[in-house]
Amino acid sequence: MCAGTIRYWAAAKAAAGTAEEPYAAATLAEALAAVRERHPGELTRVLQRCSFLVDGDPVGTRSHETVRLAEGGTVEVLPPFAGG
């Protein structure tokens, strides 16, 4: 298990009620499961439409269970942007 930071942007930030928070997880799937437990409701719905960057690299269509997280890493949660 690794510790790092999850950063929320735009609608995800509004739904989470914070710009960032720590994670303690081995994979992106584990980190997002913990986020859903901490923030049930709107953020759970927003996450379904988000894309993710892990340490600056796009996750794309990879299964979140296969995306390993690093100690001191960063997960960026990016909802769709208007006009983008």
Side-chain angles (χ1 to χ4, degrees):
M1 187 169 299
C2 298
T5 302
I6 298 176
R7 292 189 184 137
Y8 300 104
W9 298 95
K13 180 179 173 181
T18 187
E20 63 181 46
E21 62 186 350
Y23 69 73
T27 67
L28 180 57
E30 291 175 9
L32 293 177
V35 164
R36 289 182 187 98
E37 286 182 22
R38 282 192 304 271
H39 305 283
E42 184 61 22
L43 183 56
T44 297
R45 288 185 289 279
V46 171
L47 289 175
Q48 294 172 353
R49 299 183 308 273
C50 288
S51 58
F52 303 94
L53 298 177
V54 174
D55 297 330
D57 294 325
V59 171
T61 59
R62 288 184 288 160
S63 170
H64 294 169
E65 290 83 7
T66 67
V67 179
R68 308 288 303 167
L69 300 179
E71 184 68 31
T74 302
V75 174
E76 307 278 349
V77 180
L78 306 167
F81 291 92

